Amino acid sequence: MRMLINVPETVVADALRGIAAAHPDLTVDVENRVVVRRDAPVAGKVALVSGGGSGHEPLHAGFVGPGMLSAACPGEVFTSPVPDQMVRAAAAVDSGAGVLFVVKNYTGDVLNFEMAAELADDEGIQVAQVVVDDDVAVSDSTFTAGRRGTGATLFVEKIAGAAADEGAPLERVAAVARQVNGSSRSFGVALSSVTTPAKGSPTFDLPSGELELGIGIHGEPGRERRPMMTSGEIADFAVDAVLEDLRPTGPVLALVNGMGATPLLELYGFNAEVHRVLSERGVTVARTLVGNYVTSLDMAGCSVTLCQVDEELLRLWDAPVETAALRWGR
């Protein structure tokens, strides 16, 4: 096992200590596994709280800050955070205007956030929830009932976060988040397996010279395996899978996302192919984001997420953001 760690048992705690050292604008509670904007709670502002298993960095702690999340709850690697974390985070950021939970559609996350919402309500915290389920690869998978939540989580957190920072009420922030989720679709491809610190070896077998089309961010099976394809061929398959389901009638945001071990050189080359396919299909790209944002530890591969936007969603996307992983306009 070649990993830059001490021992598997302390991987998440060690990473949180590192986040605290690198980002003094965040309050990091290593023991209770909560990352909070240092200026929280912000008077009169709806707070956004998200979280999930670690191993997908910079999701979610890397998206905490002005214009995006108010707090994040990292679980153990590929394991949901627990309700106590979520309630603690909600209490730390609630200004009285309410809290929106952004939840990726994985069974553990959904159940624990639902329980946390009930506990928060008992403490007088108004909570709304949006479940992100953008992955078109499969209808059900190892960890989910229904579609998996993947790259659209970034779009939801950024756009709803901007609405919250502008002072929109909880009902409006939640409606924006649901609109973004409903307008987004994703498809992922794996070129290698993923290795978790606890296991120390690949979690599934992907023979050399093959790839998995439709992989999940925990290594869940996709649609099919094929011999290795070119970047252009992968873009044709992935973008067509998204467009077949999304069928956009207007401009889109495009996220070309790396799974963790794919160099930017390759991602930018893949982005060129994605834009080629979209142009050939008559789809206008309003904005593009390229990089490793919703990852799967050391998996090589990529995903494509498209979100159809109107003028209001595009304005909120362009609004200032200041987090560890996304920064513009400030």
Side-chain angles (χ1 to χ4, degrees):
M1 181 171 67
R2 297 181 180 180
M3 292 184 175
L4 194 63
I5 65 173
N6 292 316
V7 293
E9 293 77 13
T10 66
V11 164
V12 176
D14 291 345
L16 288 173
R17 290 191 295 106
I19 290 172
H23 302 288
D25 51 334
L26 300 176
T27 299
V28 182
D29 184 340
V30 177
E31 181 179 357
N32 293 305
R33 307 288 177 87
V34 176
V35 180
V36 179
R37 286 176 55 161
R38 188 168 290 279
D39 62 352
V42 179
K45 175 189 173 306
V46 170
L48 268 69
V49 174
S50 192
S54 296
H56 306 301
E57 289 72 23
L59 192 80
H60 293 272
F63 299 145
V64 175
M68 216 160 175
L69 293 177
S70 305
C73 308
E76 291 296 330
V77 173
F78 291 0
T79 303
S80 172
V82 298
D84 285 350
Q85 287 176 264
M86 302 162 188
V87 175
R88 189 173 284 109
V93 299
D94 179 40
S95 68
V99 176
L100 177 67
F101 284 165
V102 179
V103 189
K104 299 189 304 301
N105 188 36
Y106 296 96
T107 302
D109 289 10
V110 171
L111 293 176
N112 285 349
F113 269 103
E114 286 179 349
M115 187 179 300
E118 295 175 2
L119 295 172
D121 183 68
D122 291 342
E123 296 188 11
I125 302 172
Q126 183 183 7
V127 173
Q129 298 185 70
V130 59
V131 176
V132 182
D133 57 354
D134 55 304
D135 188 359
V136 302
V138 292
S139 297
D140 296 284
S141 71
T142 311
F143 295 94
T144 66
R147 291 177 167 175
R148 304 175 291 217
T150 57
T153 311
L154 183 155
F155 289 152
V156 170
E157 292 175 356
K158 169 63 185 77
I159 294 174
D165 268 24
E166 290 183 352
L170 181 59
E171 295 80 6
R172 173 59 183 160
V173 176
V176 167
R178 294 188 181 104
Q179 180 184 354
V180 173
N181 178 64
S183 301
S184 300
R185 302 289 189 276
S186 297
F187 191 91
V189 179
L191 309 182
S192 74
S193 181
V194 58
T195 301
T196 63
K199 191 171 188 292
S201 60
T203 59
F204 64 91
D205 178 44
L206 185 58
S208 176
E210 294 187 6
L211 52 74
E212 179 103 16
L213 296 166
I215 195 73
I217 58 174
H218 306 95
E220 307 99 318
R223 288 186 179 181
E224 61 178 291
R225 289 188 178 181
R226 289 189 180 182
M228 187 61 197
M229 301 157 65
T230 67
S231 177
E233 290 168 340
I234 294 171
D236 281 322
F237 192 101
V239 173
D240 281 345
V242 170
L243 294 180
E244 182 180 353
D245 196 284
L246 182 60
R247 301 184 183 279
T249 57
V252 299
L253 302 175
L255 170 63
V256 172
N257 174 69
M259 293 294 192
T262 303
L264 275 172
L265 180 70
E266 296 177 25
L267 288 177
Y268 276 115
F270 182 63
N271 180 57
E273 297 296 342
V274 168
H275 275 247
R276 171 189 60 78
V277 179
L278 290 170
S279 177
E280 291 173 354
R281 306 301 187 267
V283 179
T284 300
V285 180
R287 302 287 187 274
T288 304
L289 187 64
V290 179
N292 289 284
Y293 293 103
V294 182
T295 64
S296 184
L297 290 171
D298 63 342
M299 182 187 288
C302 59
S303 63
V304 177
T305 304
L306 301 179
C307 175
Q308 179 171 311
V309 289
D310 54 22
E311 290 185 5
E312 176 66 2
L313 293 187
L314 186 59
R315 184 187 68 80
L316 292 170
W317 173 257
D318 287 340
V321 61
E322 188 173 351
T323 71
L326 285 185
R327 289 175 181 260
W328 61 68
R330 296 181 70 91

